[in-house]
């Protein structure tokens, strides 16, 4: 996962924790696509609240390779508003660049 996507997940962390329920389709899709291992799924499911489960996923995702962010976006089928928000913010970060200056 590139630095921009890691920063995006970090900046929207609390918002994602309140809007995304990872217990269902999200972690199963990430597991199916090879982003999460069986032990990751068990670790996420062992968390006591839905927010903690989402935080655990957000801790794991940045370490799971270059496809992790795009597959995470694909996993958000039940949360199209979250996917749209992430894609808009990602595009804004690309246009602005990490220092807030327009990139050429």
């Amino acid at each position: 996962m590139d630095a921009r996507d890691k920063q995006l997940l970090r900046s929207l962390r609390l918002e994602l924790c309140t809007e995304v329920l990872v217990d269902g389709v999200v972690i199963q899709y990430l597991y199916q696509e090879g982003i999460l291992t069986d032990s990751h799924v068990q670790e996420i499911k062992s968390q006591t609240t839905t927010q903690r489960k989402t935080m655990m996923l957000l801790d794991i995702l940045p370490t799971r390779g270059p496809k992790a962010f795009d597959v995470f976006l694909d996993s958000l089928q039940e949360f199209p508003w979250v996917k749209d928000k992430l894609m808009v913010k990602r595009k804004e970060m690309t246009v602005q660049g990490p220092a807030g200056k327009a990139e050429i």
Side-chain angles (χ1 to χ4, degrees):
M1 183 177 296
D2 69 25
R4 174 196 62 192
D5 294 338
K6 288 179 184 179
Q7 175 60 36
L8 176 58
L9 288 179
R10 193 176 310 116
S11 68
L12 294 177
R13 184 178 178 89
L14 294 177
E15 203 169 324
L16 289 169
C17 284
T18 61
E19 293 192 37
V20 178
L21 301 172
V22 300
D23 230 356
V25 172
V26 174
I27 59 171
Q28 293 307 317
Y29 185 81
L30 292 168
Y31 177 70
Q32 170 189 298
E33 297 300 312
I35 301 300
L36 297 179
T37 65
D38 190 45
S39 63
H40 289 135
V41 172
Q42 296 309 315
E43 192 174 0
I44 291 166
K45 285 185 172 185
S46 73
Q47 300 302 307
T48 53
T49 66
T50 54
Q51 286 86 4
R52 286 176 188 247
K53 289 175 184 182
T54 304
M55 282 188 198
M56 178 64 65
L57 174 64
L58 294 174
D59 288 342
I60 294 168
L61 268 180
T63 69
R64 299 306 298 156
K67 296 187 331 180
F69 188 83
D70 289 321
V71 176
F72 176 61
L73 288 179
D74 292 343
S75 77
L76 296 173
Q77 300 161 15
E78 297 176 322
F79 308 97
W81 66 94
V82 176
K83 181 177 180 177
D84 292 344
K85 185 182 294 185
L86 284 168
M87 290 172 66
V88 166
K89 291 273 191 189
R90 189 184 201 194
K91 189 173 241 178
E92 286 173 3
M93 289 176 81
T94 304
V95 171
Q96 290 290 308
K101 297 179 180 165
E103 293 181 348
I104 299 174

